[in-house]
Structures are given as C-alpha cells and as structure tokens.
Amino acid sequence: MSPQIDTFDVGPSRDGDQFHYSRASRLCLELLDASSDLKVVSVEGISKQDSVNAGIESIDLALYYGSASLPAARLVRYRQLKHSTLHADKEWTASGLRKTLKDFAGRFTALVGKFGIQQVCARFAFEFETNRPVSSRVDQVLADLRQGMQGRDARYISRVTGLAPADLQAFASLFRPITRVEGFLEQ
C-alpha cells in the first residue's frame, strides 16, 4: 500500500495575501509621479507619524497625501482590502462589514476628538476595497445615512458603530466601498 499525503489547500488564503501585495504595489507607483502629492503608503497599518491608534486592525493600507503627519496631511485614506477567490460573486452584507465599520468608526471618533468634525470630513476617507460586490441593501442604507435618514438598517449600523445620528451621517459620507475591483488572478 502506497503512503498517502494529506494536504490542506491554502491557495485561496494565499490569493488574498497576493491581492494585498498587488494592490499595495500598484498604489505605490503613484509615489513615482512627480505631480502627485502622495507622500507615504503604509502597508498593514499606519505611518509611524500617524498619532491615532484606534481601529488599526482594519487598516491594510494608509495613504498619506501632503504629509505623513496627520496635522499637516492634505488627505489621508485608510483602506481595508478584502479578496475572495472562492466567493467572488457573494455580496457583502452589513453584518459582513461589521468589524470594518466598527473599527473605522472608532478611528473616526478618535480623529474627530483630535481635529474636529470639519477637519475630519475635509481630510480623511475610509475605504473598503474588494473584488466582491456590496449588496444593494448596504448601498441604499449608506446613501440614506449620507442624507441623514434613519431606517431599520441604519439603526443596525448605528448600533455597530456606536455613533450618534449626526456623527453617523458624517461617517457614512466618508466611508466608501470600492467594489468589484480586479481579483488577484486578473491583476
């Protein structure tokens, strides 16, 4: 009887890692453009000059324009990357975005405490990039929240984020899903 080798396929997990590396590499190319004011791309966290630690668990990339120092930065984009090889057509639901929303809302709150709501709304963005679609229900609730409307789904997001209605409206205007980007293999 010949020996059998039992293997566990980690390919889909590695594809997610490769997706992160590919996206980070592509975004770093903007650093070479002399007309760009992108100064720092931080991978798997924040810049050493970024003085706010809240919500870093959900930050895969942080892009700093103008300066890596938060008080001097023109724009800071915090981005979480999610890739799926096996479920590329499965829609993201509000419950699937729960941890990201909670972490980003915590960071939003800390930034508002440090810089004020007007500065945060003018200079910060929270992005969720994925090769998967976001459900139309999530798109609609985010659109409603941006308009200050509170429905049942908005109450769920309010509970998850812990934000008051006015802050939730501002946060929703800064949270942007970037969906159906090229998957790892296409890149």
Side-chain angles (χ1 to χ4, degrees), residues 26-102:
R26 284 181 169 195
L27 290 166
C28 284
L29 290 174
E30 189 178 334
L31 292 165
L32 302 174
D33 182 354
S35 66
S36 172
D37 72 337
L38 179 62
K39 299 298 181 195
V40 173
V41 175
S42 182
V43 179
E44 296 299 330
I46 58 176
S47 163
K48 290 180 181 174
Q49 295 180 45
D50 190 326
S51 56
V52 175
N53 289 319
I56 60 173
E57 299 83 17
S58 289
I59 299 172
D60 293 318
L61 295 173
L63 297 94
Y64 299 84
Y65 295 83
S67 174
S69 169
L70 288 186
R74 177 185 67 77
L75 173 66
V76 180
R77 294 166 49 200
Y78 299 111
R79 186 175 293 183
Q80 183 173 50
L81 302 171
K82 290 291 187 182
H83 177 274
S84 178
T85 300
L86 300 177
H87 305 288
D89 293 324
K90 185 178 178 188
E91 293 182 334
W92 283 101
T93 62
S95 62
L97 296 171
R98 186 178 205 283
K99 178 159 176 31
T100 303
L101 290 168
K102 183 178 180 186

